[in-house]
PDB file of all heavy atoms in Angstrom:
ATOM      1  N   ASN P 101      71.758  -5.093 -50.826  1.00  0.00           N
ATOM      2  CA  ASN P 101      73.087  -5.626 -50.569  1.00  0.00           C
ATOM      3  C   ASN P 101      74.123  -4.534 -50.298  1.00  0.00           C
ATOM      4  O   ASN P 101      75.008  -4.704 -49.459  1.00  0.00           O
ATOM      5  CB  ASN P 101      73.548  -6.483 -51.750  1.00  0.00           C
ATOM      6  CG  ASN P 101      72.753  -7.753 -51.889  1.00  0.00           C
ATOM      7  OD1 ASN P 101      72.168  -8.255 -50.929  1.00  0.00           O
ATOM      8  ND2 ASN P 101      72.733  -8.306 -53.096  1.00  0.00           N
ATOM      9  N   ALA P 102      74.010  -3.430 -51.012  1.00  0.00           N
ATOM     10  CA  ALA P 102      74.964  -2.344 -50.829  1.00  0.00           C
ATOM     11  C   ALA P 102      74.896  -1.775 -49.417  1.00  0.00           C
ATOM     12  O   ALA P 102      75.911  -1.377 -48.852  1.00  0.00           O
ATOM     13  CB  ALA P 102      74.721  -1.249 -51.860  1.00  0.00           C
ATOM     14  N   LYS P 103      73.706  -1.731 -48.856  1.00  0.00           N
ATOM     15  CA  LYS P 103      73.521  -1.199 -47.514  1.00  0.00           C
ATOM     16  C   LYS P 103      73.568  -2.277 -46.440  1.00  0.00           C
ATOM     17  O   LYS P 103      73.461  -1.956 -45.255  1.00  0.00           O
ATOM     18  CB  LYS P 103      72.190  -0.454 -47.418  1.00  0.00           C
ATOM     19  CG  LYS P 103      72.102   0.774 -48.301  1.00  0.00           C
ATOM     20  CD  LYS P 103      70.760   1.464 -48.117  1.00  0.00           C
ATOM     21  CE  LYS P 103      70.675   2.715 -48.972  1.00  0.00           C
ATOM     22  NZ  LYS P 103      69.365   3.396 -48.811  1.00  0.00           N
ATOM     23  N   LYS P 104      73.724  -3.535 -46.857  1.00  0.00           N
ATOM     24  CA  LYS P 104      73.707  -4.666 -45.917  1.00  0.00           C
ATOM     25  C   LYS P 104      72.464  -4.599 -45.039  1.00  0.00           C
ATOM     26  O   LYS P 104      72.532  -4.751 -43.811  1.00  0.00           O
ATOM     27  CB  LYS P 104      74.977  -4.691 -45.070  1.00  0.00           C
ATOM     28  CG  LYS P 104      76.260  -4.888 -45.872  1.00  0.00           C
ATOM     29  CD  LYS P 104      77.471  -4.974 -44.964  1.00  0.00           C
ATOM     30  CE  LYS P 104      78.747  -5.226 -45.739  1.00  0.00           C
ATOM     31  NZ  LYS P 104      79.080  -4.086 -46.630  1.00  0.00           N
ATOM     32  N   THR P 105      71.350  -4.404 -45.672  1.00  0.00           N
ATOM     33  CA  THR P 105      70.097  -4.193 -44.968  1.00  0.00           C
ATOM     34  C   THR P 105      69.009  -5.106 -45.515  1.00  0.00           C
ATOM     35  O   THR P 105      68.912  -5.310 -46.726  1.00  0.00           O
ATOM     36  CB  THR P 105      69.646  -2.732 -45.089  1.00  0.00           C
ATOM     37  OG1 THR P 105      70.644  -1.878 -44.528  1.00  0.00           O
ATOM     38  CG2 THR P 105      68.329  -2.505 -44.369  1.00  0.00           C
ATOM     39  N   VAL P 106      68.219  -5.644 -44.609  1.00  0.00           N
ATOM     40  CA  VAL P 106      67.065  -6.442 -44.979  1.00  0.00           C
ATOM     41  C   VAL P 106      65.813  -5.745 -44.466  1.00  0.00           C
ATOM     42  O   VAL P 106      65.833  -5.107 -43.410  1.00  0.00           O
ATOM     43  CB  VAL P 106      67.172  -7.878 -44.425  1.00  0.00           C
ATOM     44  CG1 VAL P 106      67.148  -7.884 -42.902  1.00  0.00           C
ATOM     45  CG2 VAL P 106      66.059  -8.750 -44.987  1.00  0.00           C
ATOM     46  N   TYR P 107      64.740  -5.849 -45.235  1.00  0.00           N
ATOM     47  CA  TYR P 107      63.485  -5.204 -44.893  1.00  0.00           C
ATOM     48  C   TYR P 107      62.380  -6.246 -44.781  1.00  0.00           C
ATOM     49  O   TYR P 107      62.422  -7.299 -45.412  1.00  0.00           O
ATOM     50  CB  TYR P 107      63.089  -4.176 -45.953  1.00  0.00           C
ATOM     51  CG  TYR P 107      64.145  -3.141 -46.244  1.00  0.00           C
ATOM     52  CD1 TYR P 107      65.050  -3.320 -47.287  1.00  0.00           C
ATOM     53  CD2 TYR P 107      64.246  -1.983 -45.481  1.00  0.00           C
ATOM     54  CE1 TYR P 107      66.024  -2.375 -47.562  1.00  0.00           C
ATOM     55  CE2 TYR P 107      65.214  -1.037 -45.744  1.00  0.00           C
ATOM     56  CZ  TYR P 107      66.098  -1.229 -46.781  1.00  0.00           C
ATOM     57  OH  TYR P 107      67.064  -0.285 -47.044  1.00  0.00           O
ATOM     58  N   LEU P 108      61.397  -5.920 -44.003  1.00  0.00           N
ATOM     59  CA  LEU P 108      60.196  -6.735 -43.919  1.00  0.00           C
ATOM     60  C   LEU P 108      58.994  -5.811 -44.018  1.00  0.00           C
ATOM     61  O   LEU P 108      58.697  -5.076 -43.073  1.00  0.00           O
ATOM     62  CB  LEU P 108      60.149  -7.534 -42.615  1.00  0.00           C
ATOM     63  CG  LEU P 108      58.987  -8.513 -42.497  1.00  0.00           C
ATOM     64  CD1 LEU P 108      59.147  -9.654 -43.505  1.00  0.00           C
ATOM     65  CD2 LEU P 108      58.887  -9.075 -41.081  1.00  0.00           C
ATOM     66  N   GLN P 109      58.347  -5.837 -45.161  1.00  0.00           N
ATOM     67  CA  GLN P 109      57.132  -5.068 -45.363  1.00  0.00           C
ATOM     68  C   GLN P 109      55.960  -5.903 -44.874  1.00  0.00           C
ATOM     69  O   GLN P 109      55.721  -6.999 -45.383  1.00  0.00           O
ATOM     70  CB  GLN P 109      56.954  -4.713 -46.834  1.00  0.00           C
ATOM     71  CG  GLN P 109      55.688  -3.933 -47.148  1.00  0.00           C
ATOM     72  CD  GLN P 109      55.694  -2.547 -46.543  1.00  0.00           C
ATOM     73  OE1 GLN P 109      56.681  -1.827 -46.634  1.00  0.00           O
ATOM     74  NE2 GLN P 109      54.584  -2.168 -45.912  1.00  0.00           N
ATOM     75  N   MET P 110      55.243  -5.393 -43.904  1.00  0.00           N
ATOM     76  CA  MET P 110      54.149  -6.117 -43.282  1.00  0.00           C
ATOM     77  C   MET P 110      52.844  -5.391 -43.582  1.00  0.00           C
ATOM     78  O   MET P 110      52.637  -4.265 -43.128  1.00  0.00           O
ATOM     79  CB  MET P 110      54.363  -6.244 -41.775  1.00  0.00           C
ATOM     80  CG  MET P 110      55.694  -6.892 -41.397  1.00  0.00           C
ATOM     81  SD  MET P 110      55.857  -7.165 -39.615  1.00  0.00           S
ATOM     82  CE  MET P 110      55.928  -5.457 -39.053  1.00  0.00           C
ATOM     83  N   ASN P 111      51.990  -6.032 -44.340  1.00  0.00           N
ATOM     84  CA  ASN P 111      50.692  -5.487 -44.695  1.00  0.00           C
ATOM     85  C   ASN P 111      49.580  -6.331 -44.086  1.00  0.00           C
ATOM     86  O   ASN P 111      49.793  -7.471 -43.690  1.00  0.00           O
ATOM     87  CB  ASN P 111      50.527  -5.436 -46.213  1.00  0.00           C
ATOM     88  CG  ASN P 111      51.542  -4.553 -46.899  1.00  0.00           C
ATOM     89  OD1 ASN P 111      51.958  -3.524 -46.363  1.00  0.00           O
ATOM     90  ND2 ASN P 111      51.945  -4.936 -48.107  1.00  0.00           N
ATOM     91  N   SER P 112      48.399  -5.754 -44.040  1.00  0.00           N
ATOM     92  CA  SER P 112      47.224  -6.450 -43.503  1.00  0.00           C
ATOM     93  C   SER P 112      47.518  -7.071 -42.150  1.00  0.00           C
ATOM     94  O   SER P 112      47.210  -8.236 -41.896  1.00  0.00           O
ATOM     95  CB  SER P 112      46.747  -7.514 -44.497  1.00  0.00           C
ATOM     96  OG  SER P 112      46.432  -6.945 -45.750  1.00  0.00           O
ATOM     97  N   LEU P 113      48.102  -6.287 -41.284  1.00  0.00           N
ATOM     98  CA  LEU P 113      48.521  -6.802 -39.985  1.00  0.00           C
ATOM     99  C   LEU P 113      47.330  -7.226 -39.135  1.00  0.00           C
ATOM    100  O   LEU P 113      46.257  -6.609 -39.177  1.00  0.00           O
ATOM    101  CB  LEU P 113      49.345  -5.756 -39.248  1.00  0.00           C
ATOM    102  CG  LEU P 113      50.791  -5.623 -39.739  1.00  0.00           C
ATOM    103  CD1 LEU P 113      51.402  -4.317 -39.279  1.00  0.00           C
ATOM    104  CD2 LEU P 113      51.616  -6.808 -39.246  1.00  0.00           C
ATOM    105  N   LYS P 114      47.544  -8.275 -38.377  1.00  0.00           N
ATOM    106  CA  LYS P 114      46.547  -8.837 -37.492  1.00  0.00           C
ATOM    107  C   LYS P 114      47.048  -8.780 -36.056  1.00  0.00           C
ATOM    108  O   LYS P 114      48.254  -8.766 -35.819  1.00  0.00           O
ATOM    109  CB  LYS P 114      46.257 -10.296 -37.870  1.00  0.00           C
ATOM    110  CG  LYS P 114      45.854 -10.515 -39.309  1.00  0.00           C
ATOM    111  CD  LYS P 114      45.735 -11.998 -39.608  1.00  0.00           C
ATOM    112  CE  LYS P 114      45.361 -12.236 -41.057  1.00  0.00           C
ATOM    113  NZ  LYS P 114      45.271 -13.698 -41.355  1.00  0.00           N
ATOM    114  N   PRO P 115      46.138  -8.773 -35.083  1.00  0.00           N
ATOM    115  CA  PRO P 115      46.580  -8.793 -33.690  1.00  0.00           C
ATOM    116  C   PRO P 115      47.500  -9.965 -33.370  1.00  0.00           C
ATOM    117  O   PRO P 115      48.393  -9.832 -32.523  1.00  0.00           O
ATOM    118  CB  PRO P 115      45.267  -8.891 -32.909  1.00  0.00           C
ATOM    119  CG  PRO P 115      44.275  -8.207 -33.787  1.00  0.00           C
ATOM    120  CD  PRO P 115      44.678  -8.583 -35.192  1.00  0.00           C
ATOM    121  N   GLU P 116      47.327 -11.083 -34.039  1.00  0.00           N
ATOM    122  CA  GLU P 116      48.172 -12.244 -33.809  1.00  0.00           C
ATOM    123  C   GLU P 116      49.598 -12.046 -34.290  1.00  0.00           C
ATOM    124  O   GLU P 116      50.475 -12.855 -33.990  1.00  0.00           O
ATOM    125  CB  GLU P 116      47.569 -13.486 -34.482  1.00  0.00           C
ATOM    126  CG  GLU P 116      47.472 -13.385 -35.997  1.00  0.00           C
ATOM    127  CD  GLU P 116      46.545 -14.425 -36.600  1.00  0.00           C
ATOM    128  OE1 GLU P 116      45.324 -14.315 -36.378  1.00  0.00           O
ATOM    129  OE2 GLU P 116      47.046 -15.351 -37.279  1.00  0.00           O
ATOM    130  N   ASP P 117      49.841 -10.980 -35.047  1.00  0.00           N
ATOM    131  CA  ASP P 117      51.200 -10.653 -35.464  1.00  0.00           C
ATOM    132  C   ASP P 117      51.981  -9.933 -34.371  1.00  0.00           C
ATOM    133  O   ASP P 117      53.186  -9.703 -34.534  1.00  0.00           O
ATOM    134  CB  ASP P 117      51.184  -9.780 -36.718  1.00  0.00           C
ATOM    135  CG  ASP P 117      50.623 -10.498 -37.926  1.00  0.00           C
ATOM    136  OD1 ASP P 117      50.957 -11.685 -38.123  1.00  0.00           O
ATOM    137  OD2 ASP P 117      49.848  -9.868 -38.689  1.00  0.00           O
ATOM    138  N   THR P 118      51.320  -9.559 -33.301  1.00  0.00           N
ATOM    139  CA  THR P 118      51.988  -8.867 -32.208  1.00  0.00           C
ATOM    140  C   THR P 118      53.102  -9.732 -31.634  1.00  0.00           C
ATOM    141  O   THR P 118      52.874 -10.869 -31.228  1.00  0.00           O
ATOM    142  CB  THR P 118      50.985  -8.511 -31.108  1.00  0.00           C
ATOM    143  OG1 THR P 118      50.023  -7.587 -31.623  1.00  0.00           O
ATOM    144  CG2 THR P 118      51.695  -7.878 -29.922  1.00  0.00           C
ATOM    145  N   ALA P 119      54.297  -9.184 -31.614  1.00  0.00           N
ATOM    146  CA  ALA P 119      55.462  -9.924 -31.138  1.00  0.00           C
ATOM    147  C   ALA P 119      56.679  -9.012 -31.171  1.00  0.00           C
ATOM    148  O   ALA P 119      56.640  -7.915 -31.730  1.00  0.00           O
ATOM    149  CB  ALA P 119      55.722 -11.156 -32.011  1.00  0.00           C
ATOM    150  N   VAL P 120      57.738  -9.485 -30.566  1.00  0.00           N
ATOM    151  CA  VAL P 120      59.043  -8.866 -30.760  1.00  0.00           C
ATOM    152  C   VAL P 120      59.668  -9.502 -31.987  1.00  0.00           C
ATOM    153  O   VAL P 120      59.787 -10.727 -32.060  1.00  0.00           O
ATOM    154  CB  VAL P 120      59.954  -9.044 -29.534  1.00  0.00           C
ATOM    155  CG1 VAL P 120      61.336  -8.457 -29.807  1.00  0.00           C
ATOM    156  CG2 VAL P 120      59.335  -8.378 -28.314  1.00  0.00           C
ATOM    157  N   TYR P 121      60.053  -8.684 -32.933  1.00  0.00           N
ATOM    158  CA  TYR P 121      60.630  -9.164 -34.174  1.00  0.00           C
ATOM    159  C   TYR P 121      62.148  -9.015 -34.118  1.00  0.00           C
ATOM    160  O   TYR P 121      62.666  -7.936 -33.846  1.00  0.00           O
ATOM    161  CB  TYR P 121      60.062  -8.395 -35.365  1.00  0.00           C
ATOM    162  CG  TYR P 121      58.666  -8.818 -35.728  1.00  0.00           C
ATOM    163  CD1 TYR P 121      57.598  -8.502 -34.904  1.00  0.00           C
ATOM    164  CD2 TYR P 121      58.411  -9.555 -36.883  1.00  0.00           C
ATOM    165  CE1 TYR P 121      56.310  -8.904 -35.216  1.00  0.00           C
ATOM    166  CE2 TYR P 121      57.129  -9.959 -37.202  1.00  0.00           C
ATOM    167  CZ  TYR P 121      56.083  -9.638 -36.368  1.00  0.00           C
ATOM    168  OH  TYR P 121      54.806 -10.041 -36.682  1.00  0.00           O
ATOM    169  N   TYR P 122      62.825 -10.112 -34.386  1.00  0.00           N
ATOM    170  CA  TYR P 122      64.275 -10.156 -34.309  1.00  0.00           C
ATOM    171  C   TYR P 122      64.883 -10.354 -35.687  1.00  0.00           C
ATOM    172  O   TYR P 122      64.447 -11.217 -36.449  1.00  0.00           O
ATOM    173  CB  TYR P 122      64.743 -11.308 -33.413  1.00  0.00           C
ATOM    174  CG  TYR P 122      64.328 -11.181 -31.973  1.00  0.00           C
ATOM    175  CD1 TYR P 122      63.138 -11.738 -31.523  1.00  0.00           C
ATOM    176  CD2 TYR P 122      65.131 -10.518 -31.057  1.00  0.00           C
ATOM    177  CE1 TYR P 122      62.754 -11.630 -30.198  1.00  0.00           C
ATOM    178  CE2 TYR P 122      64.760 -10.408 -29.733  1.00  0.00           C
ATOM    179  CZ  TYR P 122      63.564 -10.966 -29.309  1.00  0.00           C
ATOM    180  OH  TYR P 122      63.193 -10.862 -27.992  1.00  0.00           O
ATOM    181  N   CYS P 123      65.884  -9.575 -35.978  1.00  0.00           N
ATOM    182  CA  CYS P 123      66.647  -9.750 -37.201  1.00  0.00           C
ATOM    183  C   CYS P 123      67.724 -10.798 -36.981  1.00  0.00           C
ATOM    184  O   CYS P 123      68.369 -10.836 -35.922  1.00  0.00           O
ATOM    185  CB  CYS P 123      67.277  -8.422 -37.614  1.00  0.00           C
ATOM    186  SG  CYS P 123      68.277  -8.505 -39.122  1.00  0.00           S
ATOM    187  N   ASN P 124      67.908 -11.645 -37.969  1.00  0.00           N
ATOM    188  CA  ASN P 124      68.944 -12.673 -37.925  1.00  0.00           C
ATOM    189  C   ASN P 124      69.766 -12.611 -39.203  1.00  0.00           C
ATOM    190  O   ASN P 124      69.224 -12.401 -40.284  1.00  0.00           O
ATOM    191  CB  ASN P 124      68.320 -14.062 -37.770  1.00  0.00           C
ATOM    192  CG  ASN P 124      69.325 -15.175 -37.961  1.00  0.00           C
ATOM    193  OD1 ASN P 124      69.434 -15.757 -39.043  1.00  0.00           O
ATOM    194  ND2 ASN P 124      70.070 -15.478 -36.911  1.00  0.00           N
ATOM    195  N   ALA P 125      71.062 -12.795 -39.069  1.00  0.00           N
ATOM    196  CA  ALA P 125      71.937 -12.829 -40.228  1.00  0.00           C
ATOM    197  C   ALA P 125      72.984 -13.907 -40.058  1.00  0.00           C
ATOM    198  O   ALA P 125      73.549 -14.072 -38.972  1.00  0.00           O
ATOM    199  CB  ALA P 125      72.612 -11.482 -40.449  1.00  0.00           C
ATOM    200  N   ASN P 126      73.208 -14.647 -41.120  1.00  0.00           N
ATOM    201  CA  ASN P 126      74.330 -15.569 -41.185  1.00  0.00           C
ATOM    202  C   ASN P 126      75.361 -14.938 -42.104  1.00  0.00           C
ATOM    203  O   ASN P 126      75.090 -14.722 -43.285  1.00  0.00           O
ATOM    204  CB  ASN P 126      73.895 -16.932 -41.707  1.00  0.00           C
ATOM    205  CG  ASN P 126      75.025 -17.932 -41.708  1.00  0.00           C
ATOM    206  OD1 ASN P 126      75.771 -18.051 -42.671  1.00  0.00           O
ATOM    207  ND2 ASN P 126      75.157 -18.664 -40.599  1.00  0.00           N
ATOM    208  N   LEU P 127      76.529 -14.631 -41.562  1.00  0.00           N
ATOM    209  CA  LEU P 127      77.506 -13.883 -42.330  1.00  0.00           C
ATOM    210  C   LEU P 127      78.919 -14.372 -42.064  1.00  0.00           C
ATOM    211  O   LEU P 127      79.174 -15.127 -41.122  1.00  0.00           O
ATOM    212  CB  LEU P 127      77.388 -12.381 -42.029  1.00  0.00           C
ATOM    213  CG  LEU P 127      77.447 -11.933 -40.563  1.00  0.00           C
ATOM    214  CD1 LEU P 127      78.891 -11.828 -40.082  1.00  0.00           C
ATOM    215  CD2 LEU P 127      76.740 -10.595 -40.402  1.00  0.00           C
ATOM    216  N   GLN P 128      79.811 -13.919 -42.917  1.00  0.00           N
ATOM    217  CA  GLN P 128      81.225 -14.223 -42.788  1.00  0.00           C
ATOM    218  C   GLN P 128      81.997 -12.950 -42.478  1.00  0.00           C
ATOM    219  O   GLN P 128      81.843 -11.935 -43.162  1.00  0.00           O
ATOM    220  CB  GLN P 128      81.772 -14.847 -44.073  1.00  0.00           C
ATOM    221  CG  GLN P 128      81.250 -16.246 -44.362  1.00  0.00           C
ATOM    222  CD  GLN P 128      81.801 -16.789 -45.653  1.00  0.00           C
ATOM    223  OE1 GLN P 128      81.294 -16.480 -46.727  1.00  0.00           O
ATOM    224  NE2 GLN P 128      82.849 -17.594 -45.555  1.00  0.00           N
ATOM    225  N   GLU P 129      82.812 -13.011 -41.464  1.00  0.00           N
ATOM    226  CA  GLU P 129      83.746 -11.939 -41.173  1.00  0.00           C
ATOM    227  C   GLU P 129      85.041 -12.174 -41.948  1.00  0.00           C
ATOM    228  O   GLU P 129      85.295 -13.281 -42.425  1.00  0.00           O
ATOM    229  CB  GLU P 129      84.018 -11.860 -39.672  1.00  0.00           C
ATOM    230  CG  GLU P 129      82.768 -11.578 -38.855  1.00  0.00           C
ATOM    231  CD  GLU P 129      83.039 -11.549 -37.370  1.00  0.00           C
ATOM    232  OE1 GLU P 129      83.775 -10.644 -36.929  1.00  0.00           O
ATOM    233  OE2 GLU P 129      82.520 -12.431 -36.664  1.00  0.00           O
ATOM    234  N   TYR P 130      85.844 -11.148 -42.057  1.00  0.00           N
ATOM    235  CA  TYR P 130      87.047 -11.249 -42.881  1.00  0.00           C
ATOM    236  C   TYR P 130      88.009 -12.334 -42.408  1.00  0.00           C
ATOM    237  O   TYR P 130      88.664 -12.988 -43.208  1.00  0.00           O
ATOM    238  CB  TYR P 130      87.764  -9.910 -42.910  1.00  0.00           C
ATOM    239  CG  TYR P 130      87.099  -8.885 -43.792  1.00  0.00           C
ATOM    240  CD1 TYR P 130      86.350  -7.851 -43.248  1.00  0.00           C
ATOM    241  CD2 TYR P 130      87.223  -8.956 -45.179  1.00  0.00           C
ATOM    242  CE1 TYR P 130      85.733  -6.915 -44.065  1.00  0.00           C
ATOM    243  CE2 TYR P 130      86.613  -8.024 -45.993  1.00  0.00           C
ATOM    244  CZ  TYR P 130      85.870  -7.004 -45.432  1.00  0.00           C
ATOM    245  OH  TYR P 130      85.263  -6.075 -46.241  1.00  0.00           O
ATOM    246  N   SER P 131      88.098 -12.541 -41.125  1.00  0.00           N
ATOM    247  CA  SER P 131      89.068 -13.479 -40.567  1.00  0.00           C
ATOM    248  C   SER P 131      88.488 -14.857 -40.269  1.00  0.00           C
ATOM    249  O   SER P 131      89.186 -15.709 -39.726  1.00  0.00           O
ATOM    250  CB  SER P 131      89.671 -12.902 -39.281  1.00  0.00           C
ATOM    251  OG  SER P 131      88.675 -12.687 -38.305  1.00  0.00           O
ATOM    252  N   ILE P 132      87.231 -15.081 -40.630  1.00  0.00           N
ATOM    253  CA  ILE P 132      86.568 -16.342 -40.328  1.00  0.00           C
ATOM    254  C   ILE P 132      86.012 -16.945 -41.610  1.00  0.00           C
ATOM    255  O   ILE P 132      85.359 -16.262 -42.394  1.00  0.00           O
ATOM    256  CB  ILE P 132      85.439 -16.146 -39.308  1.00  0.00           C
ATOM    257  CG1 ILE P 132      85.994 -15.530 -38.023  1.00  0.00           C
ATOM    258  CG2 ILE P 132      84.748 -17.471 -39.000  1.00  0.00           C
ATOM    259  CD1 ILE P 132      84.945 -15.188 -37.003  1.00  0.00           C
ATOM    260  N   ILE P 133      86.258 -18.252 -41.808  1.00  0.00           N
ATOM    261  CA  ILE P 133      85.821 -18.924 -43.019  1.00  0.00           C
ATOM    262  C   ILE P 133      84.344 -19.297 -42.942  1.00  0.00           C
ATOM    263  O   ILE P 133      83.588 -19.083 -43.890  1.00  0.00           O
ATOM    264  CB  ILE P 133      86.679 -20.174 -43.282  1.00  0.00           C
ATOM    265  CG1 ILE P 133      88.135 -19.774 -43.520  1.00  0.00           C
ATOM    266  CG2 ILE P 133      86.134 -20.954 -44.471  1.00  0.00           C
ATOM    267  CD1 ILE P 133      89.065 -20.966 -43.677  1.00  0.00           C
ATOM    268  N   SER P 134      83.946 -19.871 -41.816  1.00  0.00           N
ATOM    269  CA  SER P 134      82.581 -20.347 -41.660  1.00  0.00           C
ATOM    270  C   SER P 134      81.622 -19.204 -41.373  1.00  0.00           C
ATOM    271  O   SER P 134      82.002 -18.166 -40.836  1.00  0.00           O
ATOM    272  CB  SER P 134      82.509 -21.378 -40.539  1.00  0.00           C
ATOM    273  OG  SER P 134      83.333 -22.484 -40.807  1.00  0.00           O
ATOM    274  N   GLY P 135      80.371 -19.428 -41.728  1.00  0.00           N
ATOM    275  CA  GLY P 135      79.344 -18.460 -41.432  1.00  0.00           C
ATOM    276  C   GLY P 135      78.946 -18.487 -39.962  1.00  0.00           C
ATOM    277  O   GLY P 135      79.001 -19.526 -39.310  1.00  0.00           O
ATOM    278  N   ILE P 136      78.560 -17.337 -39.456  1.00  0.00           N
ATOM    279  CA  ILE P 136      78.184 -17.186 -38.066  1.00  0.00           C
ATOM    280  C   ILE P 136      76.837 -16.475 -37.986  1.00  0.00           C
ATOM    281  O   ILE P 136      76.585 -15.530 -38.740  1.00  0.00           O
ATOM    282  CB  ILE P 136      79.240 -16.396 -37.275  1.00  0.00           C
ATOM    283  CG1 ILE P 136      80.595 -17.112 -37.338  1.00  0.00           C
ATOM    284  CG2 ILE P 136      78.806 -16.214 -35.830  1.00  0.00           C
ATOM    285  CD1 ILE P 136      81.719 -16.330 -36.701  1.00  0.00           C
ATOM    286  N   ASP P 137      76.000 -16.931 -37.081  1.00  0.00           N
ATOM    287  CA  ASP P 137      74.699 -16.312 -36.871  1.00  0.00           C
ATOM    288  C   ASP P 137      74.798 -15.155 -35.892  1.00  0.00           C
ATOM    289  O   ASP P 137      75.421 -15.268 -34.835  1.00  0.00           O
ATOM    290  CB  ASP P 137      73.691 -17.332 -36.342  1.00  0.00           C
ATOM    291  CG  ASP P 137      73.103 -18.188 -37.441  1.00  0.00           C
ATOM    292  OD1 ASP P 137      72.836 -17.658 -38.529  1.00  0.00           O
ATOM    293  OD2 ASP P 137      72.905 -19.393 -37.193  1.00  0.00           O
TER     294      ASP P 137
END
């Protein structure tokens, strides 16, 4: 939380895991009440 960072540890990887991996965040900016993706 301090670094505002999320990690994904991937073990025992398989060829079917091949893909482009996208990070997603739902967050609030200071001037906006609702969360935004």
Side-chain angles (χ1 to χ4, degrees):
N101 292 336
K103 296 181 179 180
K104 297 183 178 65
T105 300
V106 65
Y107 306 94
L108 185 68
Q109 179 67 46
M110 304 185 293
N111 299 325
S112 302
L113 283 163
K114 305 174 181 179
E116 63 196 69
D117 295 318
T118 296
V120 177
Y121 284 71
Y122 296 91
C123 179
N124 170 262
N126 183 271
L127 53 82
Q128 291 179 278
E129 299 178 65
Y130 285 104
S131 61
I132 302 175
I133 297 175
S134 300
I136 301 174
D137 279 321

